[in-house]
Amino acid sequence: MEEIQALNLPIDIIATSHGCIWRDNPLQIVEKYYEWSQNYQEDQITIVYDTMWEGTKQLAHKISSEIAELSPQTRVKIYNISKADKNDIMTEVFKSKAIALGSPTVGGSILSSVGGWLDFLKELRFKEEKKAAVFGCYGWSGEGTKVLREKLTDAGFSVVEDEAKCLWNPREEDFERAAGIAKALCE
Ligand SMILES: Cc1cc2nc3c(=O)[nH]c(=O)nc-3n(C[C@H](O)[C@H](O)[C@H](O)COP(=O)(O)O)c2cc1C
């Protein structure tokens, strides 16, 4: 980008092989890409989860309300992977300084919706390391949070130690762990 700008060429149009064609002030998108490629980060934390019986959803909402209390200036966004557009969630994750990711344990692993989204996350290879935390409910073996932790680490995230691993539906001590996640992400 720097090399092209240094050439000072009169650029009328940018037409990539996929995506939009920029005709009106085409350099505006070059400037935006430049900004996004330079340690771009907003004061935002995004919480992403899926659930079957809403236990993991309750943990997600506790993390959200706790962040709002601890750090009122931080924008908090919360998404159910099965209900929101995956690209929209990814845009919000890109803008965020930290994320929390939740899935119940299913079949000794995580929900396929969350697994598929994690593959997408890894493909994007975000340049800057972001903080992440994991949470989720389980019934007996409880591999979910471990799988989330491994996959997030593999995708380049720095996963904090605090996690909320909750047997069946969340109780008081599980909500306290969710609050611990919020604190670790705000630090
Ligand atoms: C199809 C299915 C498979 C499951 N597999 C596991 C498992 O392998 N290990 C485990 O600990 N719990 C397993 N569970 C239990 C769920 O993790 C548990 O019900 C959890 O509380 C669901 O969380 P949620 O309320 O967020 O959906 C399974 C549940 C279902 C419905």
Side-chain angles (χ1 to χ4, degrees), residues 76-91:
V76 186
K77 297 216 172 175
I78 183 162
Y79 293 97
N80 178 325
I81 284 181
S82 291
K83 294 189 177 159
D85 182 281
K86 288 170 185 54
N87 297 296
D88 289 347
I89 303 175
M90 207 53 86
T91 304

Side-chain angles (χ1 to χ4, degrees), residues 51-56 104-108 137-143 168:
T51 185
M52 297 179 292
W53 319 119
E54 307 219 332
T56 305
T105 298
V106 178
C137 300
Y138 72 103
W140 47 96
S141 53
E143 295 90 341
W168 304 118

Side-chain angles (χ1 to χ4, degrees), residues 16-147:
T16 59
S17 54
H18 59 85
C20 319
I21 293 176
W22 296 84
R23 297 173 203 275
D24 181 18
N25 180 18
L27 280 179
Q28 65 178 301
I29 191 60
V30 177
E31 282 156 21
K32 272 288 169 203
Y33 267 94
Y34 190 75
E35 193 186 334
W36 292 329
S37 66
Q38 305 294 312
N39 306 340
Y40 187 82
Q41 219 162 72
E42 296 180 17
D43 187 3
Q44 176 173 322
I45 297 177
T46 301
I47 303 162
V48 184
Y49 72 93
D50 201 356
T51 185
M52 297 179 292
W53 319 119
E54 307 219 332
T56 305
K57 176 182 176 182
Q58 289 180 49
L59 294 173
H61 282 271
K62 175 65 181 173
I63 298 167
S64 165
S65 61
E66 203 65 24
I67 296 169
E69 204 157 296
L70 284 171
S71 178
Q73 74 283 0
T74 301
R75 194 187 311 119
V76 186
K77 297 216 172 175
I78 183 162
Y79 293 97
N80 178 325
I81 284 181
S82 291
K83 294 189 177 159
D85 182 281
K86 288 170 185 54
N87 297 296
D88 289 347
I89 303 175
M90 207 53 86
T91 304
E92 298 305 329
V93 166
F94 171 72
K95 291 188 324 200
S96 298
K97 62 180 181 184
I99 70 165
L101 183 63
S103 169
T105 298
V106 178
S109 187
I110 52 177
L111 281 171
S112 57
S113 53
V114 182
W117 186 81
L118 274 161
D119 287 343
F120 180 24
L121 184 68
K122 188 181 168 188
E123 280 165 24
L124 295 177
R125 288 182 292 157
F126 289 158
K127 198 168 143 198
E128 290 314 305
E129 193 174 71
K130 296 176 195 289
K131 262 193 195 178
V134 298
F135 61 96
C137 300
Y138 72 103
W140 47 96
S141 53
E143 295 90 341
T145 50
K146 183 171 166 274
V147 173

